[in-house]
Amino acid sequence: MDTGREQIDLFLRRCDEVMQSKFILADTKIGELLKSIASSDLLYAFFREITRDFDYPAAKEKYMNYAGGSAKKRRLLFPPDPSEKLAFIFCLLVDLDNMTLDLSEFLREYFYEDGSVYESYYAFCNQVIKPFKNDVKAIFRGGVPVEGAVPAAKDGTIREETDILRAVAAERDAVFASRLPDDQKVDALIILNALENCGCKGSAVCGLLCGYSYFAEAAGWKSKTLSALLSELEKRREDL
């Protein structure tokens, strides 16, 4: 299974391919970009969460109907909230992919550049795809969500894979900075690294979490994130 870093790297490459593509291939490249999100447990969970309560029709009405000082030229605006901005761009790309929005007409209406479709496409990539790429890259540094950058699951648990990986990363940092003996640190880090490498998905996760709970008990180890990991273990035991 791909690691979080590999999933994010693939997404970043797909963004680059959209920006480097010729206009004639843009539809295909946008589709491949969205597939990289759908195939990533990290990105799929993230975009599912930020679009859950996002009112896309209202956002389109607000941000896609601005004349920009000219009755013939509209200007595409974006929500000021970072999560809403990402949700808006994601939904916009979905509309382009399923052809609810025609890319040629969309470019002509919002990115008109002296009648040149190539210049219009360049402007679209610079104003839409580039910030989309950079914002996601900033959130998932090294394939792990930055603390506080990913919204928590609605029920307050760590059921989303993004939240589990964030807890694993925090736990690893705590172990590394602790006064545990070196041999115990190594044992803990082996388990935590394995959890990250499998993306915190699949049947192996329950076994790894179980092993980590026995390690913590034997070592007398406690941390701020340990209880969250143990709660996740109990939930997964119930689902077995």
Side-chain angles (χ1 to χ4, degrees):
M1 179 177 292
D2 290 343
T3 64
R5 182 186 295 273
E6 289 170 335
Q7 293 173 15
I8 301 304
D9 285 347
L10 176 60
F11 165 81
L12 299 178
R13 287 199 303 273
R14 294 293 184 255
C15 287
D16 287 338
E17 289 170 4
V18 173
M19 291 188 285
Q20 295 164 6
S21 169
K22 295 183 181 297
F23 168 73
I24 195 171
L25 297 176
D27 289 336
T28 299
K29 295 303 180 181
I30 289 173
E32 291 175 352
L33 168 57
L34 291 173
K35 286 178 182 177
S36 73
I37 294 173
S39 64
S40 165
D41 54 306
L42 282 171
L43 292 175
Y44 180 81
F46 172 68
F47 281 102
R48 179 177 58 190
E49 192 63 37
I50 66 172
T51 58
R52 189 189 302 274
D53 298 319
F54 180 65
D55 192 342
Y56 180 51
K60 284 197 297 183
E61 184 69 23
K62 183 175 182 179
Y63 300 110
M64 294 180 69
N65 285 304
Y66 180 73
S70 170
K72 295 182 179 179
K73 182 180 178 181
R74 291 186 176 184
R75 179 184 173 192
L76 182 67
L77 300 180
F78 299 96
D81 179 80
S83 291
E84 289 188 0
K85 179 183 176 182
L86 284 173
F88 179 63
I89 293 177
F90 173 77
C91 292
L92 189 64
L93 293 176
V94 171
D95 270 358
L96 290 170
D97 184 51
N98 62 28
M99 297 186 180
T100 300
L101 289 175
D102 179 81
L103 182 58
S104 296
E105 293 181 4
F106 177 73
L107 294 179
R108 186 162 50 248
E109 189 166 8
Y110 293 98
F111 298 94
Y112 183 84
E113 297 289 338
D114 298 326
S116 169
V117 69
Y118 302 103
E119 290 298 324
S120 296
Y121 182 64
Y122 174 80
F124 162 74
C125 289
N126 196 48
Q127 296 177 42
V128 178
I129 303 300
K130 185 176 181 179
F132 187 63
K133 170 194 171 182
N134 290 340
D135 289 350
V136 172
K137 182 179 181 180
I139 290 172
F140 293 94
R141 295 175 187 169
V144 178
V146 173
E147 181 68 29
V150 177
K154 298 299 181 182
D155 59 2
T157 68
I158 60 167
R159 293 186 182 183
E160 301 291 359
E161 285 79 6
T162 51
D163 298 314
I164 304 171
L165 282 168
R166 186 170 57 188
V168 168
E171 181 73 4
R172 185 174 55 228
D173 290 343
V175 168
F176 188 78
S178 73
R179 295 183 178 180
L180 286 171
D182 287 345
D183 59 337
Q184 291 184 337
K185 281 188 179 182
V186 170
D187 290 343
L189 293 174
I190 286 173
I191 299 173
L192 294 170
N193 288 340
L195 280 166
E196 181 184 61
N197 289 338
C198 73
C200 286
K201 292 186 68 178
S203 58
V205 174
C206 193
L208 289 168
L209 288 172
C210 186
Y212 194 74
S213 71
Y214 279 105
F215 157 79
E217 183 178 359
W221 167 249
K222 295 181 180 180
S223 72
K224 293 181 179 179
T225 48
L226 178 61
S227 60
L229 293 174
L230 296 183
S231 294
E232 181 66 14
L233 171 60
E234 291 305 313
K235 182 192 79 67
R236 292 188 179 232
R237 277 176 173 164
E238 293 174 0
D239 295 336
L240 290 177

